[in-house]
C-alpha cells in the first residue's frame, strides 16, 4: 500500500508448458478472436470498478493491435485509445537501463564505473569500505541505497517528488552511510534508478528528457513519449484516479525522473516492446540487447534475475510494472514466442498486473478464463462506528479507521486512505492489494484491536486514543523561545533507512520520519517534547555547550536513540 513502486514477481513460469500443448484448433480460435477474448478478460475489471479506463497493446508475430476500454474519467465518457497519454511510473526504469547500455555502447561510460565519477565536485556518493557503488549496481538494485531518500519533504503528498531537487539529492548523498557493501543485497531502489538517470544526463551534458528523446524515442518514432506535456498532449492525458476511483494529482518528477517520470501512450509503448522483441541493427539495437541480458543473478532465494532495468519471470519473459498516485502500467515481452503485452490505466491499482499477464498467456495459446472478483456483503452503516479509531501497528505506524460517505476507509501513516470491503461484519478486504483487516470485537461490541493479514503474515495493531481524545488530554505545555529551537534542527538517524528530520516552521517544532508526514511536537521542557497524534515523546540530548548530538524516541515503553547526521 505504498506509493510509486514495482510490485512483486509475476508468476509466468507455467506459460511455456501451456503453449506447448495448444492444438491447431486452439491456434485458429486465437487468430479469430484476440479482441473478443481480451474484451472478456477486461470486462470484470470494469464491472467491479477496479479501473476507470485502460488501454492495452498486444503484439504477436509482428502484428500490433491496441484496444481501449472504460472512460477517460468519471465525468468524461470518451474511451481511451492508443493515443491516450498515461503516467508510466516505474516502468520508466527499463528506458533508463537502455540509456545506460547506450552510453556503454558509445564508450561514454562503463558498467563497472564508480558512479561517483560522474558527480560534480563537492558531491560524493557513499561507499562501504573499499567497495564503491557502480553504475550497474544502480541499475540492478544492489547499490545499498534505500528505496527513497530520507530527506524527501513531501510538501505536497499528492505530488510527492515535485519539490525534491538536485540540491536535495546532493545533500542526501553527502550525508548517507551504507549499511552494507554494494552488490551484497538486492533492495529495490527508486532513488538508485533516479540517481542513475541523473548521472547519465550529467555525463551527456543534457537533461534526462532530452537524452531520452535523442537516444530512444526519436529513433523508435515514439512521438508521444515525454516528460513535459505541451498543450496538445495535455488534451490527450487521461486524468489519474486513486484505487477508489477518486481523481488525483499528476506526479512531477524532477531530479529523480529516471525512476518514473515518463508519460507515454500504448501505441508508443508497443513500438518500444517491438524494438525489444527484435532490436534494430544499429547502436541502439546493441544497447537494447545489452539491457536485455542478465546482469544480476539472484543473491538469495526469492530474488529474481535482473537485466538493466528489466525484471525476469521464470520463463524468461522480461517485464516491469509501475505505479504513481493515479496510474498503473505493465510491459511484458517474451522473445521465445514473439509476444508482448503493454497495459496503461488511469487508476492506481496493482490488480491489473494479473490482467496483463492473463492476456499474454491468452495470446501465447493458453486457455484463460475471465477473473472473478469477490463480492462484498452488506453491513449497516451504524455497525461501522465501533471500528472508527486509531490502531498502532508499530512505532510510527498507525492505522486510522474512518467512515466517509458510508464507506469504511483505512489509512496507514504516510500512505493514502483506501476503502475496504466486508466479507463479514468484522473481516474486510482491500481491492488495491491482496490484504485483509479483521477487527477483534468483544462480547460488549467494543473493538480493541485489528489484525492485518498480508503476504502470509498476521500483524496485530492495538487500538489507541483517537486524535480528538489525545489532543484534549491534560498535558501542560511550557513556553520555549523560538530562537531556542534552532539547536534541534537537523537530521537524526534512527535506523539505516529511517531518519528523523527536525525543522522549525512558523515558530513550531516539526518532526518527520522517513516516508511519513511531518508532525508538530509540544514542549514539556526545553528538551522534552511530546506528540498529540501518538503517545510518544522526543527528548533532545544537549551538552553543556548547548549542542544537540542526538534525540531519544520514547514509545510503547521502548527508548530508541537517533544520532545527529553530519
Amino acid at each position: 500500500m505504498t506509493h510509486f513502486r514495482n510490485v512483486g514477481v509475476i508468476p509466468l513460469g507455467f506459460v511455456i508448458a501451456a503453449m506447448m500443448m495448444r492444438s491447431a484448433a486452439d491456434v485458429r480460435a486465437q487468430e479469430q478472436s484476440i479482441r473478443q477474448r481480451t474484451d472478456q478478460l477486461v470486462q470484470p475489471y470494469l464491472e467491479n470498478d477496479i479501473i476507470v479506463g485502460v488501454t492495452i497493446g498486444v503484439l504477436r508475430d509482428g502484428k500490433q493491435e491496441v484496444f481501449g476500454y472504460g472512460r477517460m474519467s468519471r465525468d468524461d465518457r470518451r474511451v481511451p485509445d492508443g493515443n491516450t497519454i498515461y503516467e508510466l511510473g516505474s516502468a520508466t526504469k527499463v528506458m533508463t537501463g537502455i540509456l545506460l547500455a547506450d552510453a556503454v555502447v558509445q564508450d561514454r561510460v562503463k558498467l563497472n564505473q564508480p558512479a561517483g565519477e560522474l558527480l560534480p565536485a563537492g558531491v560524493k556518493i557513499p561507499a562501504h569500505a573499499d567497495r564503491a557503488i557502480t553504475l550497474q549496481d544502480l541499475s540492478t538494485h544492489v547499490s545499498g541505497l534505500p528505496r527513497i531518500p530520507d530527506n524527501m519533504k513531501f510538501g505536497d503528498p499528492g505530488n510527492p517528488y515535485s519539490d525534491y531537487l538536485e540540491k536535495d539529492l546532493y545533500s542526501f548523498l553527502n550525508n548517507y552511510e551504507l549499511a552494507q557493501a554494494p552488490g551484497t543485497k538486492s533492495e529495490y531502489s527508486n532513488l538508485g534508478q533516479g540517481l542513475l538517470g541523473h548521472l547519465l544526463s550529467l555525463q551527456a551534458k543534457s537533461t534526462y528528457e532530452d537524452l531520452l528523446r535523442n537516444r530512444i524515442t526519436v529513433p523508435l518514432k515514439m512521438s508521444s513519449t515525454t516528460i513535459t506535456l505541451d498543450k496538445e498532449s495535455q488534451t490527450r492525458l487521461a486524468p489519474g484516479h486513486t484505487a477508489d476511483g477518486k481523481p488525483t494529482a499528476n506526479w512531477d518528477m524532477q531530479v529523480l525522473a529516471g525512476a518514473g517520470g515518463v508519460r507515454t501512450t500504448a501505441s508508443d509503448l508497443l513500438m518500444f516492446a517491438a524494438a525489444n522483441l527484435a532490436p534494430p541493427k544499429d547502436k541502439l539495437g546493441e544497447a537494447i540487447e545489452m539491457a536485455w541480458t542478465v546482469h544480476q543473478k539472484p543473491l538469495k532465494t526469492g530474488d529474481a534475475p535482473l537485466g538493466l532495468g528489466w525484471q525476469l519471470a521464470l520463463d524468461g519473459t522480461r517485464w516491469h510494472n509501475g505505479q504513481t498516485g493515479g496510474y498503473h502500467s505493465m510491459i511484458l515481452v517474451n522473445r521465445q514466442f514473439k509476444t508482448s503485452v503493454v497495459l496503461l490505466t488511469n487508476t492506481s491499482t496493482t490488480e491489473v498486473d494479473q490482467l496483463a499477464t492473463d492476456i499474454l498467456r491468452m495470446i501465447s495459446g493458453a486457455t484463460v478464463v475471465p477473473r472473478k472478483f469477490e463480492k462484498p456483503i452488506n453491513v449497516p452503516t451504524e455497525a461501522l462506528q465501533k471500528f472508527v479509531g486509531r490502531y498502532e501497528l508499530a512505532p510510527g505506524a498507525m492505522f486510522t479507521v474512518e467512515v466517509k460517505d458510508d464507506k469504511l476507509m483505512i489509512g496507514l501513516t504516510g500512505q493514502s486512505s483506501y476503502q475496504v470491503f466486508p466479507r463479514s461484519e468484522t473481516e474486510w478486504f482491500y481491492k488495491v492489494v491482496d490484504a485483509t483487516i479483521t477487527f477483534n470485537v468483544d462480547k460488549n461490541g467494543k473493538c480493541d484491536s485489528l489484525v492485518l493479514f498480508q503476504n502470509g503474515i498476521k500483524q496485530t495493531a492495538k487500538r489507541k486514543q483517537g486524535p480528538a481524545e489525545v489532543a484534549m488530554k491534560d498535558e501542560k505545555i511550557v513556553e520555549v523561545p523560538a530562537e531556542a529551537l534552532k539547536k534541534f534542527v537537523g537530521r537524526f538517524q534512527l535506523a539505516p533507512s529511517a531518519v528523523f528530520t527536525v525543522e522549525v516552521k512558523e515558530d513550531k517544532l516539526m518532526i518527520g520520519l522517513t516516508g511519513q508526514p511531518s508532525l508538530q511536537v509540544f514542549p514539556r521542557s526545553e528538551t522534552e517534547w511530546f506528540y498529540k497524534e501518538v503517545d510518544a515523546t522526543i527528548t533532545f540530548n544537549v551538552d553543556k555547550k548547548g549542542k544537540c548530538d542526538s534525540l531519544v524516541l520514547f514509545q510503547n515503553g521502548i527508548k530508541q536513540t537517533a544520532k545527529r547526521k553530519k
Side-chain angles (χ1 to χ4, degrees):
M1 292 180 284
T2 57
H3 287 301
F4 193 62
R5 60 194 186 276
N6 94 306
V7 191
V9 175
I10 306 303
L12 291 172
F14 52 82
V15 171
I16 293 176
M19 291 164 58
M20 292 297 187
M21 298 171 61
R22 62 181 179 176
S23 67
D26 290 333
V27 173
R28 287 194 297 272
Q30 292 290 333
E31 293 290 351
Q32 295 170 356
S33 59
I34 285 180
R35 173 63 197 250
Q36 181 182 0
R37 292 182 181 220
T38 302
D39 291 349
Q40 293 170 355
L41 293 176
V42 172
Q43 195 59 34
Y45 292 81
L46 296 172
E47 291 176 348
N48 289 275
D49 293 324
I50 305 299
I51 52 176
V52 177
V54 65
T55 308
I56 296 166
V58 174
L59 174 58
R60 188 177 70 163
D61 296 329
K63 182 181 180 181
Q64 298 184 20
E65 296 182 81
V66 178
F67 313 131
Y69 302 91
R71 56 178 64 181
M72 293 285 280
S73 71
R74 297 298 186 194
D75 300 322
D76 185 345
R77 291 183 173 273
R78 288 180 298 159
V79 178
D81 59 26
N83 294 317
T84 301
I85 295 175
Y86 301 83
E87 291 182 355
L88 186 59
S90 280
T92 297
K93 294 176 176 67
V94 177
M95 298 180 183
T96 301
I98 292 175
L99 287 176
L100 170 59
D102 179 63
V104 173
V105 168
Q106 294 182 68
D107 201 29
R108 293 192 287 110
V109 303
K110 297 183 183 301
L111 287 179
N112 63 355
Q113 181 174 346
E117 293 182 0
L118 301 184
L119 285 166
V123 184
K124 63 179 180 67
I125 194 168
H128 192 278
D130 295 329
R131 176 62 159 88
I133 295 173
T134 67
L135 298 178
Q136 179 174 310
D137 292 335
L138 294 173
S139 186
T140 56
H141 299 287
V142 293
S143 67
L145 293 175
R147 190 181 192 92
I148 60 173
D150 60 29
N151 63 339
M152 281 191 67
K153 304 169 187 175
F154 297 102
D156 180 359
N159 193 1
Y161 289 82
S162 61
D163 58 358
Y164 196 79
L165 308 177
E166 184 179 274
K167 63 182 179 63
D168 301 305
L169 175 61
Y170 291 170
S171 175
F172 170 85
L173 294 174
N174 280 332
N175 290 282
Y176 190 74
E177 296 179 5
L178 294 178
Q180 69 272 335
T184 61
K185 182 180 180 181
S186 181
E187 184 176 8
Y188 190 85
S189 177
N190 289 316
L191 168 61
Q193 291 278 351
L195 173 60
L196 176 60
H198 178 64
L199 294 175
L200 295 173
S201 304
L202 290 177
Q203 198 283 327
K205 296 180 173 59
S206 175
T207 65
Y208 180 84
E209 185 169 18
D210 286 342
L211 185 62
L212 181 70
R213 180 184 302 111
N214 294 333
R215 304 306 305 170
I216 294 180
T217 64
V218 169
L220 296 182
K221 299 180 180 179
M222 299 165 61
S223 59
S224 293
T225 300
T226 185
I227 293 176
T228 306
L229 299 180
D230 57 26
K231 289 184 178 180
E232 187 279 328
S233 297
Q234 289 174 2
T235 65
R236 295 189 283 127
L237 176 67
H241 299 80
T242 65
D244 297 326
K246 298 176 182 177
T248 191
N250 290 103
W251 279 15
D252 298 302
M253 306 292 291
Q254 306 290 345
V255 69
L256 299 180
V262 168
R263 297 177 170 105
T264 190
T265 66
S267 292
D268 272 14
L269 201 56
L270 206 54
M271 286 190 283
F272 180 74
N276 280 273
L277 272 177
K281 305 298 183 181
D282 56 17
K283 294 293 185 182
L284 176 56
E286 290 182 41
I288 289 172
E289 196 63 43
M290 182 182 293
W292 183 272
T293 302
V294 173
H295 291 274
Q296 180 61 55
K297 295 181 179 180
L299 293 174
K300 67 178 190 308
T301 302
D303 289 348
L306 300 171
L308 300 180
W310 284 114
Q311 311 265 342
L312 270 73
L314 297 177
D315 67 349
T317 297
R318 267 60 171 180
W319 69 276
H320 212 299
N321 57 6
Q323 186 164 300
T324 61
Y327 302 84
H328 194 89
S329 67
M330 171 63 95
I331 177 171
L332 298 144
V333 183
N334 186 303
R335 283 188 180 176
Q336 183 177 1
F337 296 96
K338 299 179 181 179
T339 53
S340 178
V341 171
V342 301
L343 181 150
L344 296 168
T345 179
N346 59 343
T347 312
S348 182
T349 174
T350 62
E351 294 284 1
V352 293
D353 286 344
Q354 181 174 330
L355 174 60
T357 305
D358 284 347
I359 294 172
L360 182 70
R361 293 177 58 229
M362 180 267 290
I363 66 172
S364 300
T367 300
V368 182
V369 297
R371 187 174 175 185
K372 293 183 178 180
F373 287 95
E374 187 170 4
K375 294 286 187 182
I377 67 169
N378 291 321
V379 175
T381 304
E382 56 270 18
L384 308 183
Q385 295 302 321
K386 61 178 171 287
F387 305 137
V388 172
R390 299 164 68 253
Y391 301 77
E392 189 166 44
L393 185 66
M398 190 80 68
F399 281 112
T400 299
V401 181
E402 302 172 285
V403 176
K404 293 183 178 179
D405 299 326
D406 295 335
K407 300 174 182 177
L408 195 63
M409 309 292 295
I410 302 181
L412 187 61
T413 304
Q415 300 181 17
S416 300
S417 184
Y418 295 106
Q419 184 180 1
V420 290
F421 302 85
R423 285 190 182 133
S424 69
E425 186 170 313
T426 56
E427 184 180 359
W428 299 68
F429 64 91
Y430 289 91
K431 288 185 177 180
V432 295
V433 291
D434 186 12
T436 62
I437 295 288
T438 301
F439 294 96
N440 292 324
V441 180
D442 64 20
K443 295 179 180 179
N444 297 319
K446 292 183 178 181
C447 177
D448 63 359
S449 62
L450 62 78
V451 177
L452 167 69
F453 182 67
Q454 188 175 26
N455 299 325
I457 300 171
K458 290 183 177 181
Q459 299 180 77
T460 299
K462 292 186 178 181
R463 189 174 201 144
K464 306 291 288 186
Q465 291 176 303
E469 294 170 299
V470 175
M472 292 174 62
K473 67 182 180 180
D474 186 18
E475 182 75 53
K476 182 180 179 181
I477 299 174
V478 303
E479 290 187 8
V480 176
E483 57 269 18
L485 307 183
K486 294 179 181 178
K487 61 179 172 288
F488 305 137
V489 172
R491 298 165 67 242
F492 299 78
Q493 188 154 23
L494 185 67
S497 296
V499 174
F500 282 111
T501 299
V502 182
E503 302 173 285
V504 177
K505 294 182 178 179
E506 299 177 354
D507 295 337
K508 299 174 182 177
L509 196 63
M510 308 293 294
I511 302 181
L513 188 60
T514 303
Q516 299 180 19
S518 185
L519 301 174
Q520 184 180 359
V521 289
F522 301 86
R524 289 192 182 121
S525 69
E526 186 170 313
T527 57
E528 184 179 356
W529 299 68
F530 66 91
Y531 290 91
K532 287 187 176 181
E533 285 81 3
V534 292
D535 188 10
T537 62
I538 295 287
T539 301
F540 294 95
N541 294 323
V542 180
D543 63 21
K544 294 179 180 179
K545 296 180 180 180
K547 292 184 178 181
C548 176
D549 63 357
S550 62
L551 63 78
V552 177
L553 167 69
F554 181 68
Q555 190 173 26
N556 296 328
I558 300 172
K559 289 183 177 181
Q560 300 179 76
T561 299
K563 293 185 177 180
R564 182 187 284 273
K565 299 188 67 176
K566 296 180 180 179

